[in-house]
C-alpha cells in the first residue's frame, strides 16, 4: 500500500489532485489507514495510469469517470484505443512541428516581402527571431542577406514571388507532371542559393505553410491566380514523397 504522498511523489500528480479524484469518484483509494489517510494499491495505480492517459488525450474528467466506472470497461481494449489516439496525436503534432518549422524558416523573411507586409506577420517575425535566431538556417540566411544591397534584396523578393507566378501557369495540369516537379526543384534550388539550405524535409514544411491559409496562401494566389498555393503545396508533397 502507498500513501497519497507516496503516490504523488511517484507519479507527479499533486496530492490535491489525488484528493479531488477521490471526491468525484474517479480514483478512490483501496482503503484508509487507522488514522484515516488514503492508501492505494497496485489496482488503484493501474487505474491512475488509465486516467493519466485519458487526460493526456484531453478527455474531460466527467467523461473519464463515466468510462472507467462503467461495468463494461475493458482495460486492454481501452489501452489499444489510447495507443491509436496517441499515434494520431503524435502525427498531428509532427505535422504542426513541420508546419511551424516552415514558418520559422521562411516566415522570418516573409515580412520583407511587400505582398506579406502585415502587422500580424511583423509581430510573428519578431517572436520567431527571438526564439529561433540561433538556428543554422537563420544564421545562413542572415549571412547571405548581409551581402546584398537593399536594391538586390528587393530584386530577390520579386524573383522569389515570380516563381509562384510560374506555378500558377502550371496549375491547370497535374502536380505530378514533369513540369510541376521541375518547378519544385527550381524553388528548392532558389531557396538554397539565396536564403538557406533547403532540404526536402524543410521544403515539405514550407509546402504545408503555403497551403495553410491566411495571408501567405492568399498572396501566393495573388501572383499566380486562385489555387496556386494549393497546387504548389501538392507538387511539393509529391516531390518530397519520392
Amino acid at each position: 500500500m502507498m500513501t497519497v504522498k507516496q503516490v504523488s511523489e511517484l507519479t507527479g500528480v499533486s496530492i490535491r489532485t489525488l484528493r479531488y479524484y477521490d471526491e468525484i469518484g474517479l480514483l478512490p483509494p483501496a482503503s484508509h489507514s487507522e488514522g484515516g489517510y488514503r492508501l492505494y494499491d497496485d489496482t488503484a495505480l493501474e487505474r491512475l495510469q488509465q486516467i493519466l492517459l485519458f487526460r493526456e488525450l484531453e478527455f474531460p474528467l466527467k467523461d473519464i469517470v463515466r468510462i472507467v466506472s462503467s461495468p463494461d470497461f475493458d482495460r486492454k481494449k481501452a489501452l489499444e484505443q489510447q495507443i491509436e489516439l496517441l499515434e494520431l496525436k503524435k502525427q498531428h503534432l509532427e505535422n504542426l512541428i513541420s508546419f511551424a518549422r516552415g514558418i520559422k524558416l521562411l516566415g522570418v523573411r516573409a515580412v520583407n516581402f511587400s505582398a506579406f507586409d502585415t502587422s500580424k506577420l511583423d509581430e510573428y517575425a519578431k517572436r520567431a527571431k527571438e526564439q529561433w535566431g540561433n538556428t543554422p538556417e537563420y544564421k545562413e540566411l542572415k549571412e547571405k542577406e548581409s551581402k546584398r544591397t537593399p536594391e538586390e534584396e528587393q530584386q530577390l523578393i520579386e524573383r522569389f514571388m515570380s516563381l509562384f507566378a510560374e506555378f500558377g501557369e502550371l496549375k491547370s495540369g497535374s502536380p505530378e507532371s514533369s513540369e510541376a516537379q521541375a518547378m519544385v526543384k527550381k524553388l528548392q534550388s532558389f531557396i538554397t542559393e539565396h536564403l538557406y539550405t533547403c532540404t526536402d524535409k524543410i521544403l515539405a514544411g514550407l509546402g504545408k505553410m503555403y497551403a495553410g491559409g491566411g495571408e501567405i496562401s492568399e498572396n501566393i494566389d495573388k501572383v499566380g491566380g486562385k489555387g496556386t498555393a494549393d497546387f504548389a503545396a501538392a507538387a511539393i508533397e509529391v516531390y518530397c514523397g519520392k
Side-chain angles (χ1 to χ4, degrees):
M1 291 286 188
M2 298 181 66
T3 65
V4 68
K5 181 179 180 182
Q6 290 172 326
V7 173
S8 178
E9 292 174 346
L10 175 67
T11 64
V13 180
S14 71
I15 293 175
R16 181 178 181 181
T17 297
L18 290 170
R19 289 173 176 166
Y20 180 65
Y21 285 175
D22 181 16
E23 292 171 3
I24 64 175
L26 180 58
L27 183 66
S31 63
H32 293 80
S33 69
E34 292 182 1
Y37 295 103
R38 295 172 176 85
L39 296 175
Y40 299 83
D41 59 7
D42 289 344
T43 300
L45 292 178
E46 289 178 359
R47 184 177 173 111
L48 179 57
Q49 287 177 338
Q50 288 285 338
I51 293 168
L52 294 179
L53 283 171
F54 278 122
R55 291 298 288 157
E56 189 65 31
L57 291 166
E58 300 179 7
F59 277 53
L61 284 177
K62 63 178 181 179
D63 290 343
I64 301 176
V65 173
R66 177 179 54 79
I67 292 170
V68 300
S69 300
S70 170
D72 298 326
F73 178 67
D74 185 331
R75 183 176 182 276
K76 183 178 179 180
K77 182 178 179 180
L79 185 59
E80 291 174 352
Q81 292 173 335
Q82 287 168 334
I83 291 172
E84 183 177 354
L85 287 171
L86 287 168
E87 288 287 353
L88 291 172
K89 183 176 181 180
K90 175 185 175 183
Q91 182 179 350
H92 174 65
L93 289 173
E94 287 176 345
N95 288 338
L96 287 177
I97 290 170
S98 179
F99 179 78
R101 281 176 176 161
I103 296 176
K104 172 183 71 177
L105 295 173
L106 188 59
V108 171
R109 289 293 301 124
V111 295
N112 290 326
F113 294 2
S114 58
F116 290 68
D117 188 14
T118 67
S119 58
K120 183 177 179 180
L121 286 176
D122 284 338
E123 179 61 25
Y124 170 76
K126 179 181 178 181
R127 295 197 306 269
K129 288 178 181 179
E130 292 172 352
Q131 295 180 16
W132 298 300
N134 292 322
T135 62
E137 292 82 6
Y138 182 70
K139 291 179 179 179
E140 182 181 0
L141 175 69
K142 297 305 291 184
E143 181 180 355
K144 290 181 177 180
E145 183 183 49
S146 67
K147 298 177 182 179
R148 293 191 288 265
T149 66
E151 291 76 17
E152 291 172 332
E153 190 74 10
Q154 183 59 37
Q155 291 174 3
L156 181 66
I157 292 169
E158 294 172 358
R159 288 172 58 194
F160 180 80
M161 294 307 294
S162 72
L163 295 177
F164 292 104
E166 294 183 55
F167 270 113
E169 295 175 358
L170 301 173
K171 69 178 184 293
S172 61
S174 169
E176 299 179 358
S177 69
S178 58
E179 293 83 2
Q181 292 302 291
M183 194 62 229
V184 175
K185 180 62 178 177
K186 183 176 180 179
L187 174 67
Q188 184 180 41
S189 298
F190 183 93
I191 294 172
T192 295
E193 180 181 358
H194 300 289
L195 301 175
Y196 47 79
T197 302
C198 184
T199 64
D200 286 358
K201 185 175 182 179
I202 290 174
L203 184 63
L206 294 176
K208 292 179 184 298
M209 180 182 68
Y210 296 155
E215 290 90 351
I216 292 178
S217 299
E218 291 172 3
N219 286 293
I220 287 176
D221 283 354
K222 284 181 182 179
V223 297
K226 186 175 181 180
T228 299
D230 288 338
F231 178 81
I236 289 172
E237 183 178 3
V238 172
Y239 180 89
C240 293
K242 290 181 179 179

